[in-house]
């Protein structure tokens, strides 16, 4: 399933150098609301999601890499507009609209896995550990290809295919 990964930065705390309508308003952020729509004016009603104050990214639609659950909130080929607002105990802050539309939405290649480390196990083998990519591109990851070589330029690299095992624990 197709999706959008939205990322943002937290507002500055007690921002006194700008126009007084930015930063966290002097109070801790309680949560964010992200709205997304196929219409640039977010009318008639935009879809929305509430996000934790500690988050700086949220997947809209698409497929959850770990659980495999899919959302059909977004339409393939659609162009979406996204905006975000922070809330504190005083209410909603200034709406920040992302500077450009996102799309057309389509499946893509997955993001790279995060390599956690490699350890020598014997004179002829190593153990490599990695975490699942944050974004699978819209389809289940079927395998990982590991390349290895004694030269850092990988001019004569050998490969090993590691199929995935999909299980829920």
């Amino acid at each position: 399933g197709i999706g959008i990964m939205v990322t943002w930065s937290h507002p500055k705390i007690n921002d006194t150098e700008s126009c007084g309508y930015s930063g966290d308003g002097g109070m801790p952020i309680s949560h964010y609301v992200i709205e997304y729509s196929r219409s640039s004016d977010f009318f008639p009603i935009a879809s929305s999601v509430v996000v934790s104050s500690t988050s700086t990214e949220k997947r809209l639609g698409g497929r959850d890499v770990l659980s495999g659950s899919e959302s059909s909130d977004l339409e393939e080929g659609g162009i979406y507009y996204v905006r975000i607002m922070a809330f504190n105990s005083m209410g909603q802050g200034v709406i920040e609209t992302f500077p450009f539309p996102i799309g057309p939405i389509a499946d893509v290649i997955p993001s790279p896995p995060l390599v956690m480390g490699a350890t020598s196990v014997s004179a002829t083998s190593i153990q490599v550990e990695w975490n699942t990519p944050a974004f699978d591109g819209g389809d289940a990851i079927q395998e990982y290809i590991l390349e290895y070589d004694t030269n850092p330029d990988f001019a004569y690299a050998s490969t090993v295919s590691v199929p995935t095992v999909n299980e829920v624990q």
Side-chain angles (χ1 to χ4, degrees):
I2 52 173
I4 299 171
M5 182 63 81
V6 179
T7 60
W8 65 93
S9 298
H10 295 295
K12 294 179 181 176
I13 297 174
N14 294 321
D15 183 2
T16 58
E17 296 178 17
S18 63
C19 67
Y21 292 107
S22 63
D24 64 1
M27 305 293 288
I29 301 297
S30 60
H31 64 282
Y32 296 97
V33 171
I34 299 172
E35 294 182 335
Y36 52 102
S37 176
R38 293 198 60 180
S39 172
S40 62
D41 63 2
F42 294 84
F43 185 80
I45 297 175
S47 298
S48 65
V49 62
V50 177
V51 183
S52 161
S53 65
T54 59
S55 297
T56 57
E57 67 179 24
K58 175 67 178 169
R59 179 184 49 86
L60 304 175
R63 187 173 179 285
D64 186 293
V65 175
L66 297 177
S67 72
S69 67
E70 292 196 45
S71 167
S72 59
D73 288 351
L74 306 178
E75 295 178 31
E76 186 166 357
I79 296 174
Y80 289 86
Y81 299 85
V82 179
R83 62 187 181 186
I84 185 169
M85 55 217 80
F87 286 76
N88 65 16
S89 62
M90 300 300 291
Q92 175 186 315
V94 175
I95 296 172
E96 182 67 29
T97 302
F98 284 68
F100 49 85
I102 302 167
I105 304 297
D107 287 343
V108 296
I109 62 171
S111 59
L114 178 62
V115 176
M116 302 303 291
T119 307
S120 174
V121 177
S122 70
T124 59
S125 64
I126 58 172
Q127 177 178 332
V128 179
E129 296 180 43
W130 66 89
N131 281 339
T132 303
F135 186 65
D136 64 11
D139 200 4
I141 295 173
Q142 299 170 354
E143 69 177 337
Y144 294 94
I145 304 292
L146 300 177
E147 292 185 342
Y148 60 96
D149 198 339
T150 57
N151 294 313
D153 62 1
F154 285 82
Y156 304 100
S158 297
T159 61
V160 173
S161 173
V162 180
T164 60
V165 176
N166 296 318
E167 65 179 48
V168 178
Q169 295 186 10

